[in-house]
Amino acid sequence: MEQHSLLNSLQLTLPDGQGAPEYPPVEQVLPQFLQLFAGVGAQQAGSKARRGMVRDLFAILEAIDCHWLLGGGQGDSTPLVLRDLVVALSTYAALPQQEHDRGELPSKDPSYASAADRAADVSLVFRSILAKVEAAKGSEELGCKVVGLFLRQVAGPMYVLAVTHATEKPWSRPRTRSLAQELLEGLLQVWGCQSVPEFLRGAAEDEEGWFAVVMQSLKPELTKETWQRNPATKHVFSWTLQQVTRPWLGPHLEKILPPSLLLSDDYRIENKILGVQCLHHIVLNVPGADLCQFNRAQVVHHALSNHLYSKEAQLMQIVLPCLLDLLPILERAPGRPSRQPPSAVPSDKVLRLVLTHMEPEHQLALRRVYAKNLPAFVERLGIHVARHLKRLQRVIVGYLEVYDGPEETARLAMLETLKRTIQHAWPRMTTRLAVLLQALLRLMWDTVTDRSPTPEPVTAALLQGATECLLLLDRCSHGQVKVLLQGVQHSCQDDRLKECLRKLEEEPVESFIPTEPKREF
């Protein structure tokens, strides 16, 4: 029959009735298929002929049993033949190669549709192989040991194909996504895992998972020369990396750090974001001692610091939290001097650069990102934020003056920054009292007289935050704020503002002497 032309080429027949036919050994059949599949004739016949060969192979696999496919568990050549088959079919189903310095193809590109069709056919073949491997687990002749030997050869390419098409991407289609998800579930079932993280890391801490095998499969496509050719490789790497957490990730640091740095260093924003996300996951899930070896932490810090000059809010939103998590590792690195000048302390250097960029910034989106992350930087430095008070005060006052839209994200974040600054650097606040008091009163007046569509909860949060700052300033200045604001409440016409000032007047005068553990830099 036409649809079984491959069987005729291999001189095989499918069973027409009951009873299984005598097939040649798998070590003969599959190499013949690979020879035909990679031959010049198949290449010249075009994609339609090769697709027919894959479908005929699926028909063969559906007809045979697990003993035939796994060679009865005898000999070492069968797993290698299956590996060659899986690799060849994975290459056939791969996305079209792209040239350097060119963006990804549009989602409606015909080559993506063709790749999706190929991936669907190959997924059916892989599912059939996995079904036979699953059946072999219950065989006394084969057993789990043989199953593990075969999986070691084929799990990597199968996983990569499944993850490539399992989620919605420009190259995936509904049918392909469904088949890819079934293929991934089949891999988990064969190995007896409940989830992808368990499959990759192992069920127990001392059990070796498949993460190293998957990374080995991706390695040829994650070099400096090749990673941009396949648009799916970076997504498969990033998604897989983020499935593995502490303590399983640390032993694989040498495999995962270079590709993450490559992505982070690319000129495309989407690749930079993907790379920084990978670096952040590494920082959170690899022991600090491992990161400090061979100056790896310094390399990551240098890569992230370069992004601080970017004007992309989306990128800055993930760079700043990553730096915040990396700074403690850098400052506790072995061999680092216990006493360093402020110019040499990483936290001080980063905050100084951030404040330098914040002060003249006019893009609202970027201002919001800076403002949302600034409280964490102040908390990170603690009392040492006093080194930056001059510039920090200018930034706080400048941001409090500018309306930030209905959500008032930047202003609310700046009030939180000011509160933490007062709490940590309270002895220095008295000399800055007049400027800060004026900025807070102006903010409160602008808030109660604002005619923009600001939600009432946001207005209340602004007034509450400003009032808390006034209370803190009053406490650390031993009641000077009350003295400066005497009589203001009686001349105020707005009830909400009166209520804020009443809270300030009723607050008893106390010395503001918080205790903070000594920090070593």
Side-chain angles (χ1 to χ4, degrees):
M1 292 184 293
E2 183 179 354
Q3 66 268 30
H4 301 308
S5 57
L6 174 63
L7 303 179
N8 296 328
S9 301
L10 298 178
Q11 298 180 349
L12 298 173
T13 57
L14 282 173
D16 294 326
Q18 296 182 351
E22 292 295 331
Y23 288 110
V26 65
E27 294 87 349
Q28 296 180 20
V29 175
L30 294 186
Q32 285 186 47
F33 169 80
L34 290 173
Q35 204 169 15
L36 284 173
F37 193 69
V40 178
Q43 299 283 355
Q44 291 178 347
S47 59
K48 186 176 180 180
R50 301 188 82 195
R51 188 175 181 184
M53 294 174 67
V54 174
R55 291 180 172 179
D56 284 347
L57 176 63
F58 174 64
I60 295 175
L61 294 174
E62 288 293 287
I64 52 87
D65 60 12
C66 61
H67 291 81
W68 181 88
L69 181 62
L70 303 183
Q74 304 297 322
D76 299 329
S77 60
T78 306
L80 299 180
V81 171
L82 265 183
R83 179 200 62 190
D84 294 341
L85 174 68
V86 170
V87 170
L89 292 179
S90 298
T91 304
Y92 163 73
L95 300 181
Q97 296 286 302
Q98 298 183 1
E99 299 179 8
H100 288 288
D101 300 326
R102 292 185 62 180
E104 294 182 3
L105 299 173
S107 58
K108 295 184 179 179
D109 191 276
S111 60
Y112 278 162
S114 177
D117 292 337
R118 297 195 303 270
D121 293 337
V122 172
S123 295
L124 289 172
V125 173
F126 286 175
R127 282 178 53 204
S128 183
I129 293 175
L130 288 177
K132 299 300 183 293
V133 175
E134 174 69 17
K137 289 166 62 177
S139 170
E140 294 182 1
E141 184 180 349
L142 298 173
C144 293
K145 183 177 180 180
V146 174
V147 169
L149 180 63
F150 277 86
L151 277 181
R152 186 67 57 182
Q153 301 295 334
V154 303
M158 286 186 177
Y159 173 90
V160 171
L161 177 69
V163 175
T164 297
H165 295 274
T167 56
E168 188 170 355
K169 297 294 181 185
W171 51 83
S172 65
R173 300 294 183 267
R175 178 171 178 263
T176 313
R177 286 196 293 271
S178 176
L179 290 173
Q181 289 166 1
E182 291 176 8
L183 175 60
L184 190 56
E185 291 169 2
L187 267 175
L188 301 183
Q189 181 180 352
V190 169
W191 198 243
C193 298
Q194 301 299 318
S195 64
V196 173
E198 183 182 334
F199 172 80
L200 292 170
R201 72 192 183 205
E205 186 174 341
D206 57 347
E207 179 182 334
E208 183 180 0
W210 294 92
F211 186 73
V213 174
V214 172
M215 288 295 109
Q216 188 63 32
S217 297
L218 288 172
K219 185 177 180 180
E221 301 209 5
L222 285 175
T223 66
K224 185 177 181 180
E225 294 76 22
T226 60
W227 75 269
Q228 298 184 69
R229 295 177 184 172
N230 188 333
T233 300
K234 58 188 179 185
H235 296 289
V236 174
F237 168 75
S238 173
W239 189 85
T240 301
L241 169 64
Q242 296 183 53
Q243 304 304 307
V244 182
T245 56
R246 185 187 294 260
W248 295 275
L249 194 60
H252 306 285
L253 182 57
E254 291 185 0
K255 300 182 183 72
I256 59 180
L257 185 57
S260 301
L261 291 169
L262 274 177
L263 288 170
S264 170
D265 196 41
D266 193 50
Y267 68 94
R268 298 186 186 93
I269 292 298
E270 61 270 22
N271 292 337
K272 289 178 184 289
I273 292 173
L274 207 59
V276 174
Q277 288 173 339
C278 293
L279 291 175
H280 196 183
H281 185 77
I282 292 171
V283 168
L284 291 175
N285 291 282
V286 172
D290 292 346
L291 283 172
C292 290
Q293 281 187 335
F294 310 113
N295 280 335
R296 294 186 183 110
Q298 289 286 356
V299 172
V300 175
H301 179 253
H302 179 72
L304 294 172
S305 297
N306 289 338
H307 295 314
L308 291 177
Y309 297 90
S310 172
K311 292 294 183 180
E312 296 290 337
Q314 190 178 3
L315 174 61
M316 198 62 63
Q317 180 59 53
I318 62 172
V319 169
L320 293 176
C322 185
L323 272 170
L324 279 165
D325 289 322
L326 179 65
L327 290 174
I329 297 173
L330 283 172
E331 292 167 4
R332 292 197 300 264
R336 182 179 173 272
S338 58
R339 298 288 180 182
Q340 285 185 301
S343 59
V345 178
S347 294
D348 286 275
K349 292 167 66 176
V350 171
L351 180 59
R352 191 179 304 113
L353 184 58
V354 169
L355 292 175
T356 300
H357 291 164
M358 286 184 71
E359 194 171 355
E361 186 54 55
H362 64 278
Q363 294 184 43
L364 287 179
L366 196 51
R367 286 167 66 95
R368 294 186 188 109
V369 171
Y370 281 133
K372 285 167 62 177
N373 288 278
L374 192 55
F377 276 99
V378 173
E379 197 67 30
R380 168 75 198 128
L381 267 75
I383 185 61
H384 298 286
V385 76
R387 299 167 177 167
H388 308 272
L389 279 182
K390 184 177 181 180
R391 182 167 292 167
L392 183 58
Q393 174 187 297
R394 293 201 304 265
V395 169
I396 291 174
V397 172
Y399 275 57
L400 289 179
E401 290 176 349
V402 179
Y403 173 71
D404 187 44
E407 300 301 322
E408 293 283 19
T409 304
R411 277 175 158 176
L412 288 171
M414 277 302 157
L415 288 173
E416 181 64 26
T417 301
L418 179 56
K419 282 193 291 184
R420 298 192 186 193
T421 303
I422 297 171
Q423 290 168 347
H424 289 293
W426 60 271
R428 300 286 187 88
M429 290 296 108
T430 303
T431 57
R432 305 176 186 279
L433 191 59
V435 175
L436 294 175
L437 183 57
Q438 183 180 6
L440 289 170
L441 290 175
R442 183 184 295 116
L443 170 66
M444 296 172 75
W445 178 253
D446 289 345
T447 301
V448 298
T449 59
D450 184 22
R451 295 294 181 265
S452 63
T454 303
E456 183 59 32
V458 176
T459 300
L462 285 172
L463 293 175
Q464 177 67 19
T467 304
E468 290 174 359
C469 289
L470 288 174
L471 290 170
L472 289 173
L473 285 172
D474 185 64
R475 293 179 64 188
C476 69
S477 64
H478 307 288
Q480 290 187 37
V481 173
K482 290 188 179 71
V483 175
L484 293 172
L485 295 182
Q486 282 181 352
V488 174
Q489 182 180 2
H490 302 293
S491 62
C492 181
Q493 302 297 320
D494 187 88
D495 292 337
R496 292 175 295 178
L497 196 52
K498 280 184 178 181
E499 178 63 21
C500 294
L501 296 175
R502 185 189 61 79
K503 291 179 181 178
L504 178 63
E505 287 189 358
E506 294 178 354
E507 179 74 10
V509 178
E510 298 177 359
S511 297
F512 186 78
I513 308 178
T515 58
E516 182 185 18
K518 184 178 179 181
R519 297 172 60 89
E520 291 294 339
F521 278 80

